[in-house]
Amino acid sequence: MSRVLAVAPVLPEHVHAQEEISAVLAPMLAGSPARAELLRRLHSSSGVRRRHLVQPLEEYAATTTFGAANAVFLREGTALAERASRQALTAAGLVPGDVDHVFSTSVTGIGAPSLDVLLAERLGLRADVRRTPSFGLGCAGGAGGLARVHDYLAGHPRGVALLVSVELCSLTLQQGDGSTANMVASGLFGDGAAAVVVVGDEHPLAGRAGHGARTATVVGTRSCLYPGTAGELGWEVRDSGFGIVLSARLPELLGAHLLGDVKGLLAEHGLTPGQVPTWVVHPGGPRVLDAVRDALGLTEADLRESRTSLATAGNLSSASVLDVLARTLAGSQAPPGSPAVLMAFGPGVATEMVLMRLDGEV
């Protein structure tokens, strides 16, 4: 097992109401008044009230090439990663030199050296730190990253791992693309980052009391890849950058598979869905959350933190489920030792799940 000591989501400084963003984006995406009205309807039904953007809103019209957008990603993404990492390490009572392994994940920008190398220099990580950069897990990257960090710590039980997610979704805006998928994406996704500090079960801090902040123990993980769904979700890589692939079938796919996947994970630990009081669900959008609720027989109370995260920040891709985890740990009234299931969905189509036990005092 491994122990989550701290989760630190961070958001860029430029925050706008959804209606303000819609008004600025409509001329970039819609070729007619009718399409502009469709964009406004799609944005208003997204479940998002406001979003944080990495650039001032007026600068997006001039960010028209993949190279320009990616340069912003590397510069601003590294700064957000540093901010999140420092907050998480401080909350955990650790310093950068304590970190043995960094797992970084993003699907909204690329770099070689990868972002974790740029972060290592700014943060002051050791020269022998082990690194695992990941691209392509998409919105599942936060859950998948936590699962892979857990795997690493199983073999390094005294180790310290840092999971870092950076997603600057606004930089993937495809101007001139008036497709419904692009309009949906332009109203759904936001910018943000998150860092998580996890230690192995033999680390001195693994048995530490929460000091007023709840922690969580990772008990098990499960990855589920749905064959024949590669064209349902992801990117189409264009000269202009990343074009969204977003099928309307995603909620249907989750509805068909999710209950069996969850039961499979829980059965390995002698549990059933009815015994789980806490659900940490990636806020992929209103219809995705509805599909999860209906497939698992959850209540709206079970999804409260997911809905709140979506409304106040938008879908942050891989960072979203980590934002929901932070909110859950901060507000949970579930008894110590009770199980929690964290889940997120990404290209593949794939589901990544993590079974945890909540620690600390309520």
Side-chain angles (χ1 to χ4, degrees):
M1 293 187 288
S2 60
R3 182 135 182 215
V4 176
L5 295 184
V7 186
V10 298
L11 298 169
E13 62 177 320
H14 306 290
V15 58
H16 298 275
Q18 180 78 319
E19 295 79 9
E20 184 181 0
I21 295 174
S22 301
V24 172
L25 294 189
M28 302 183 201
L29 303 182
S32 68
R35 296 299 287 177
E37 177 58 29
L38 174 61
L39 180 141
R40 284 189 286 270
R41 290 202 308 270
L42 292 171
H43 284 201
S44 65
S45 63
S46 66
V48 179
R49 294 199 305 267
R50 67 175 184 266
R51 285 180 283 166
H52 293 249
L53 305 178
V54 74
Q55 294 190 120
L57 186 53
E58 64 272 12
E59 292 186 9
Y60 284 91
T63 308
T64 58
T65 68
F66 184 29
N70 202 66
V72 176
F73 172 85
L74 291 174
R75 182 182 71 246
E76 301 299 333
T78 303
L80 281 173
E82 179 186 8
R83 187 173 136 208
S85 298
R86 290 194 185 280
Q87 289 184 17
L89 287 167
T90 297
L94 295 167
V95 298
D98 294 324
V99 176
D100 302 301
H101 178 236
V102 178
F103 185 104
S104 60
T105 184
S106 181
V107 76
T108 53
I110 57 175
S114 49
L115 187 142
D116 53 287
V117 173
L118 306 180
L119 174 64
E121 293 185 1
R122 293 181 59 145
L123 198 59
L125 300 177
R126 301 195 315 263
D128 67 344
V129 68
R130 299 187 182 191
R131 301 177 296 108
T132 306
S134 167
F135 179 91
L137 288 173
C139 294
L146 184 56
R148 300 295 79 77
V149 161
H150 173 70
D151 293 343
Y152 170 84
L153 291 171
H156 302 82
R158 295 187 63 81
V160 176
L162 179 66
L163 166 62
V164 181
S165 162
V166 176
E167 301 289 11
L168 305 184
C169 303
S170 68
L171 296 175
T172 68
L173 178 70
Q174 297 295 290
Q175 297 188 39
D177 178 356
S179 67
T180 300
N182 193 43
M183 288 186 179
V184 169
S186 72
L188 179 62
F189 291 96
D191 296 346
V196 185
V197 176
V198 192
V199 298
D201 59 8
E202 293 181 16
H203 189 277
L205 293 181
R208 183 190 69 173
H211 298 294
R214 296 203 79 166
T215 60
T217 297
V218 178
V219 177
T221 69
R222 189 178 181 91
S223 300
C224 308
L225 188 61
Y226 307 147
T229 62
E232 305 291 339
L233 180 64
W235 291 134
E236 177 186 69
V237 182
R238 305 170 180 171
D239 293 342
S240 56
F242 300 129
I244 190 71
V245 176
L246 184 61
S247 169
R249 291 185 60 232
L250 183 58
E252 175 188 336
L253 290 169
L254 295 177
H257 294 280
L258 193 56
L259 180 58
D261 297 337
V262 170
K263 284 183 174 180
L265 170 63
L266 294 177
E268 295 174 0
H269 302 276
L271 295 168
T272 64
Q275 295 173 296
V276 178
T278 304
W279 299 88
V280 182
V281 181
H282 166 63
R287 292 183 62 227
V288 167
L289 289 174
D290 290 348
V292 173
R293 179 197 61 204
D294 296 344
L296 301 181
L298 305 183
T299 67
E300 276 301 308
D302 294 319
L303 299 178
R304 181 178 59 249
E305 301 298 354
S306 297
R307 301 275 191 195
T308 300
S309 178
L310 181 65
T312 57
N315 180 342
L316 303 175
S317 191
S318 67
S320 259
V321 77
L322 303 180
D323 181 67
V324 177
L325 176 59
R327 294 170 184 272
T328 300
L329 292 176
S332 174
Q333 295 298 307
S338 63
V341 174
L342 178 148
M343 64 178 68
F345 324 105
V349 171
T351 295
E352 292 283 346
M353 295 183 292
V354 179
L355 174 63
M356 300 180 291
R357 185 179 67 237
L358 298 181
D359 305 315
E361 298 181 359
V362 175

